[in-house]
């Protein structure tokens, strides 16, 4: 009799523990703590393998932790909503046709069940939009040479970027002047002359926006100013890198034009503002987080970070050879998604010599830093003074504007050199006509901007 009572008590206790475990698991699931939810959900599914709702939750939990194989095994036994989760996995694996077919099946099941309300309507619509965008990008996968990929600590990945002095530097928020607010996390880009910083800071809506500050003649820094509203697109803009021409800006954004998470975008400064950014496409971007693009013209090396390889607390940094002209893979290239996702770095390389040459240039540039040229400036003021440096100005506002004027002259000089080179290359490549027209427009705007700043310097000093 005692044995029977003990057995009954054991069964009741086991049920209570199981029930408590499931309650905790569902609470963790509801809070987005999917890894914590898996053990309890798995125990519940083992006890009730025909419970489609439990199978669905366990499948979603596995999906959110990156275990797609286990996720698909449980989602196949789940509810009709599991089709949407399966479609998301297919999308992440670049099986875009499969993803769309699964969404069609989900909507057909809703129609058959005569359900008027679709709880996943917004999610399905957003996923269809991402599928369409990814298909368009897959038609324009850039053919690049990736010379190396390295796994680094996600918390300290900036140390892996080995940039020449001419490219500027990437620093942590500790480099910011005291009291300046920054997003968490972000990267601080510092120009080669160390007179300008660009980074991300939260705005009034807690979205990240890119801001900049200029160093004044007395060594202090002016109040940060937004780089431009167009860069945020109503979402988070982060991880900036400004090319030495002062015109071309790379940064990351996770808005509606992203495939998912952060994507890398490019914008150009027209002399007055940064223009509407463009997604740089594949293979740089993926459905995962892709960010911190940096292109070092002095070494011929490009860098970007991504978590597409799902390495827990680490991320992957790809080092590639940038091309002056974009060349895409033909759309009928076999295994094109593999080139887009970069499942193998080796397939992008023609020989081992490329890697050696790139790293030789990097090592040489870092061992022999070159001073950054500063444009010569000569301002004739109405009072007869001739000013060649900001330190000769009395007004603090004029000194700040003078620094911007020098920066504008540097940008104009870089743009003019680029335009001259394009015109030379046009003799053997007439497809550069559009690029030349764009560069001419940029040069004109930069020239007007420099003239405006020159007049503002004189006005601030003399009024």
């Amino acid at each position: 009799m005692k044995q029977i009572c003990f057995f009954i008590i054991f069964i009741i206790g086991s049920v209570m523990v199981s029930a408590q475990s499931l309650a905790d698991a569902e609470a963790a699931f509801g809070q987005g703590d999917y890894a914590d939810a898996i053990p309890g959900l798995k125990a519940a599914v083992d006890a009730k393998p025909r419970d489609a709702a439990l199978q669905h939750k366990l499948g979603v939990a596995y999906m959110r932790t990156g275990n797609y194989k286990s996720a698909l095994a449980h989602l196949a036994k789940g509810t009709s909503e599991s089709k949407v989760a399966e479609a998301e996995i297919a999308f992440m694996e670049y099986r875009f046709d499969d993803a769309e077919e699964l969404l069609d099946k989900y909507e057909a099941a809703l129609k058959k069940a005569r359900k008027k309300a679709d709880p996943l309507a917004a999610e399905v619509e957003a996923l269809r939009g991402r599928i369409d965008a990814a298909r368009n990008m897959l038609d324009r996968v850039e053919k690049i040479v990736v010379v190396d990929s390295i796994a680094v600590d996600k918390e300290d990945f900036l140390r892996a970027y080995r940039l020449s002095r001419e490219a500027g530097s990437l620093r942590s928020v500790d480099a910011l002047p005291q009291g300046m607010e920054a997003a968490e996390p972000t990267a601080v880009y510092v120009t080669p002359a160390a007179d300008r910083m660009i980074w991300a800071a939260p705005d009034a809506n807690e979205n990240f926006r890119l801001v900049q500050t200029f160093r004044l003649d007395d060594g202090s820094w002016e109040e940060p100013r937004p780089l431009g509203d167009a860069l945020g697109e109503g979402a988070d803009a982060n991880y900036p890198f400004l090319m030495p021409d002062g015109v071309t800006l790379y940064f990351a954004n996770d808005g509606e034009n992203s495939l998912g998470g952060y994507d890398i975008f490019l914008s150009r400064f027209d002399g007055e503002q940064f223009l509407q950014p463009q997604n740089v496409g594949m293979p740089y971007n993926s459905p995962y987080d892709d960010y911190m693009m940096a292109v070092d013209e002095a070494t011929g090396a490009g860098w970007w970070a991504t978590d597409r390889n799902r390495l827990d607390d680490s991320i992957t940094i790809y080092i590639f050879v940038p091309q002056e002209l974009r060349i895409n893979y033909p759309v009928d290239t076999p295994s094109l998604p593999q080139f887009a996702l970069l499942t193998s770095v080796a397939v992008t390389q023609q020989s081992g010599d490329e890697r050696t040459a790139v790293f030789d240039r990097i090592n040489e540039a870092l061992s022999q830093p070159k001073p950054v040229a500063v444009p010569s400036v000569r301002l004739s003021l109405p009072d007869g003074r001739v000013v060649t440096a900001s330190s000769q100005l009395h007004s603090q506002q004029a000194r700040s504007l003078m620094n911007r004027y020098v920066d504008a002259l540097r940008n104009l000089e870089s743009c003019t050199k680029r335009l001259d080179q394009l015109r030379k290359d046009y003799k053997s490549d007439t497809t550069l006509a559009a690029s030349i027209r764009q560069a001419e427009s940029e040069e004109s705007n930069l020239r007007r901007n420099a003239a405006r700043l020159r007049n503002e310097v004189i006005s601030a000093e003399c009024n």
Side-chain angles (χ1 to χ4, degrees):
M1 186 67 180
K2 290 182 178 180
Q3 290 179 338
I4 295 175
C5 290
F6 178 79
F7 179 74
I8 292 173
I9 292 171
F10 174 78
I11 293 297
I12 293 173
S14 298
V15 171
M16 290 178 64
V17 171
S18 176
Q20 181 64 37
S21 176
L22 177 58
D24 289 344
E26 290 189 326
F29 184 91
Q31 294 171 0
D33 298 328
Y34 299 108
D36 293 339
I38 287 176
L41 290 174
K42 189 176 185 304
V45 165
D46 289 342
K48 296 181 179 181
R50 295 186 179 181
D51 190 322
L54 287 174
Q55 293 278 10
H56 172 74
K57 285 187 176 180
L58 181 56
V60 170
Y62 274 126
M63 178 183 72
R64 295 303 179 204
T65 55
N67 188 342
Y68 293 161
K69 183 178 180 180
S70 296
L72 291 171
H74 291 284
L75 292 171
K77 305 171 187 177
T79 65
S80 60
E81 293 181 354
S82 297
K83 295 296 181 188
V84 179
E86 289 181 84
E88 185 170 344
I89 292 175
F91 171 74
M92 302 297 275
E93 295 179 338
Y94 285 44
R95 295 184 288 111
F96 304 135
D97 291 343
D98 291 346
E100 194 164 52
E101 183 179 347
L102 286 161
L103 293 181
D104 290 342
K105 288 181 178 179
Y106 166 72
E107 293 182 334
L110 280 183
K111 187 175 181 180
K112 185 176 181 180
R114 297 182 178 179
K115 291 185 178 181
K116 294 182 179 179
D118 179 2
L120 301 179
E123 184 177 336
V124 169
E125 182 181 2
L127 184 52
R128 286 192 184 277
R130 292 167 66 193
I131 292 170
D132 289 341
R135 275 189 175 136
N136 290 334
M137 287 190 192
L138 197 58
D139 289 340
R140 297 177 288 106
V141 179
E142 185 172 355
K143 191 173 184 179
I144 63 172
V145 174
V146 179
V147 297
D148 203 2
S149 64
I150 53 177
V152 297
D153 183 3
K154 187 179 296 186
E155 299 297 323
D156 196 28
F157 75 95
L158 292 178
R159 291 181 180 272
Y161 285 66
R162 302 177 63 204
L163 302 178
S164 68
R165 181 173 177 178
E166 291 89 336
S169 60
L170 300 173
R171 305 181 189 179
S172 69
V173 295
D174 295 337
L176 291 175
Q178 188 174 4
M180 291 192 179
E181 193 174 16
E184 181 60 44
T186 189
V188 179
Y189 172 73
V190 183
T191 54
D195 58 356
R196 183 181 183 185
M197 295 183 180
I198 305 174
W199 72 99
D203 62 14
N205 298 318
E206 295 302 315
N207 290 326
F208 296 169
R209 64 177 179 178
L210 297 182
V211 297
Q212 65 180 345
T213 180
F214 288 86
R215 182 166 51 85
L216 302 175
D217 189 61
D218 61 2
S220 64
W221 294 83
E222 67 176 15
E223 284 297 314
R225 297 179 296 108
L227 228 60
D229 294 334
L231 303 179
E233 296 190 321
D236 288 340
N238 207 341
Y239 301 106
F241 179 83
L242 186 67
M243 295 290 290
D245 62 9
V247 173
T248 308
L249 175 73
Y250 292 102
F251 68 101
N253 187 281
D254 62 358
E256 61 180 12
N257 292 314
S258 163
L259 288 180
Y262 279 122
D263 270 14
I264 299 168
F265 287 78
L266 180 149
S267 179
R268 293 187 184 277
F269 188 70
D270 69 352
E272 297 181 358
Q273 62 182 349
F274 279 97
L275 302 176
Q276 190 69 27
Q278 302 295 319
N279 191 304
V280 299
M282 296 177 179
Y284 311 104
N285 290 324
S286 71
Y288 303 88
D289 280 323
D290 304 279
Y291 48 97
M292 201 59 265
M293 170 82 82
V295 177
D296 190 339
E297 293 177 321
T299 64
W303 311 69
W304 91 90
T306 176
D307 70 358
R308 67 183 67 186
N309 295 316
R310 292 165 288 164
L311 302 174
D312 295 327
D313 293 331
S314 298
I315 59 173
T316 302
I317 293 181
Y318 288 113
I319 307 168
F320 68 102
V321 180
Q323 304 294 325
E324 290 188 13
L325 295 177
R326 181 177 181 125
I327 300 175
N328 298 330
Y329 285 100
V331 294
D332 58 351
T333 299
S335 303
L336 185 58
Q338 294 183 17
F339 289 101
L341 192 55
L342 283 178
T343 54
S344 172
V345 168
V347 299
T348 71
Q349 301 172 358
Q350 297 177 352
S351 70
D353 296 339
E354 297 151 326
R355 184 182 188 280
T356 301
V358 168
F359 281 96
D360 283 348
R361 291 195 297 270
I362 291 174
N363 292 330
E364 181 181 359
L366 294 181
S367 63
Q368 298 178 353
K370 299 177 182 179
V372 178
V374 177
S376 59
V377 180
R378 183 182 176 86
L379 290 182
S380 298
L381 302 181
D383 59 9
R385 285 183 293 153
V386 176
V387 176
T388 58
S390 59
S391 59
Q392 299 170 343
L393 297 168
H394 304 313
S395 164
Q396 182 174 350
Q397 181 185 5
R399 290 196 295 270
S400 175
L401 288 167
M402 183 71 155
N403 289 333
R404 295 187 199 174
Y405 176 54
V406 172
D407 193 60
L409 290 178
R410 184 185 293 114
N411 296 345
L412 175 60
E413 183 179 358
S414 296
C415 183
T416 300
K417 289 181 178 178
R418 180 162 56 90
L419 178 58
D420 289 343
Q421 187 61 49
L422 284 171
R423 286 169 173 162
K424 291 177 182 178
D425 294 342
Y426 178 78
K427 296 177 181 178
S428 58
D429 185 1
T430 57
T431 63
L432 294 175
S435 298
I436 291 174
R437 288 194 295 272
Q438 181 180 2
E440 288 174 340
S441 177
E442 290 173 5
E443 184 191 39
S444 177
N445 289 332
L446 289 170
R447 195 175 300 280
R448 285 198 299 270
N449 182 57
R452 176 180 59 80
L453 285 169
R454 179 182 182 279
N455 293 334
E456 288 182 3
V457 171
I458 296 173
S459 177
E461 178 69 5
C462 298
N463 291 339

